[in-house]
Amino acid sequence: MQRKKIKNILNKKAKVPIICLTAYSKPIAEILDKYCDIILVGDSVGMVLYGMKTTKEIKLETMINHAKAVKSNSKKSLVVFDMPYKTYSNKFTAYNNAKKVIQLTKCDAVKLEGGKKIIEIVKYLTNRGIPVMGHIGLLPQSSTKFKLKGKNFGERIKILEDAIALSNSGVFAIVIECVVESLAKKITKTVNVPTIGIGASKYCDGQ
């Protein structure tokens, strides 16, 4: 069975719904691999399995161990590594950590939270052959209030601009988390890469 490539995900834009789910372990990875296009090794493992209060507490080394289990026990899904808090604070730190992740886990891509603020980091990674998935809207690593985003005009414009900037910087997909449905629909129609919704909209390219 051949593992999905990034071009397979890109080709599904506006055509076939993309299935993306989260796994942290061997048994869950084996189950999800039968159905998913993308498996995300999420930093939410800190809260789900370790009882941490936020995603900010999980360490890179812990994430790497979980990613090894997921990647080695999946055969067809694209496996994306969620870069933990403060592991991509500048382009050099981001590259060194992402390179380490890819080498040790064999994951197919990394995910970074943020929009225009991290564009130079995204470009630095993608220009050096590290595939990146973006993440906008509600950002668990930096949000203090976990509430629906995009309810006012200014916020909608900012999030849309973040999406466009990420799309133009070389990401292969963008996670849109917890934004109003009309905004998720607008972003999905505007950007040229697939969007993956988390509590966002049925209009995203995937869920």
Side-chain angles (χ1 to χ4, degrees):
M1 188 180 297
Q2 191 173 14
R3 190 177 296 276
K4 283 184 170 61
K5 307 291 186 184
I6 284 172
K7 65 179 181 180
N8 301 132
I9 305 302
L10 288 167
N11 288 339
K12 290 195 171 197
K13 171 75 178 175
K15 296 175 185 175
V16 182
I18 297 166
I19 302 170
C20 178
L21 291 169
T22 300
Y24 317 118
S25 63
K26 173 183 182 292
I28 300 301
E30 289 175 336
I31 294 169
L32 299 191
D33 192 48
K34 299 172 185 176
Y35 310 103
C36 286
D37 297 298
I38 302 170
I39 295 178
L40 173 69
V41 185
D43 59 2
S44 51
V45 66
M47 302 167 76
V48 175
L49 294 186
Y50 295 99
M52 296 172 181
K53 291 184 178 180
T54 71
T55 60
K56 294 181 182 182
E57 299 173 60
I58 196 71
K59 300 299 182 186
L60 185 67
E61 291 70 25
T62 306
M63 286 283 298
I64 285 173
N65 287 333
H66 285 282
K68 285 180 179 178
V70 171
K71 182 62 192 282
S72 62
N73 290 284
S74 60
K75 293 182 173 65
K76 73 176 187 68
S77 303
L78 192 83
V79 179
V80 178
F81 185 99
D82 208 357
M83 293 294 286
Y85 181 60
K86 287 190 174 179
T87 60
Y88 50 100
S89 51
N90 61 65
K91 62 184 183 181
F92 304 112
T93 299
Y95 178 69
N96 288 334
N97 283 328
K99 185 178 178 182
K100 178 181 179 180
V101 164
I102 300 295
Q103 288 177 339
L104 293 179
T105 69
K106 312 301 181 193
C107 281
D108 304 294
V110 297
K111 182 173 77 65
L112 278 59
E113 291 185 13
K116 288 190 288 186
K117 288 183 179 179
I118 65 163
I119 291 306
E120 293 309 312
I121 295 172
V122 172
K123 288 180 180 178
Y124 194 80
L125 295 183
T126 56
N127 287 339
R128 284 157 181 76
I130 296 178
V132 176
M133 173 184 276
H135 184 152
I136 57 173
L138 177 63
L139 306 176
Q141 291 180 6
S142 57
S143 292
T144 54
K145 294 181 180 179
F146 287 75
K147 60 180 183 179
L148 187 66
K149 303 294 182 180
K151 290 191 287 185
N152 64 67
F153 179 76
E155 201 170 57
R156 285 197 295 273
I157 293 298
K158 179 188 179 301
I159 294 171
L160 178 60
E161 288 178 347
D162 282 343
I164 293 169
L166 284 173
S167 178
N168 292 337
S169 71
V171 300
F172 72 91
I174 301 173
V175 170
I176 307 174
E177 181 169 358
C178 199
V179 305
V180 295
E181 187 171 271
S182 59
L183 176 58
K185 185 178 182 180
K186 174 72 172 176
I187 291 169
T188 300
K189 286 188 173 183
T190 302
V191 300
N192 59 11
V193 297
T195 58
I196 310 293
I198 302 177
S201 164
K202 64 183 180 182
Y203 298 106
C204 292
D205 296 297
Q207 300 292 332

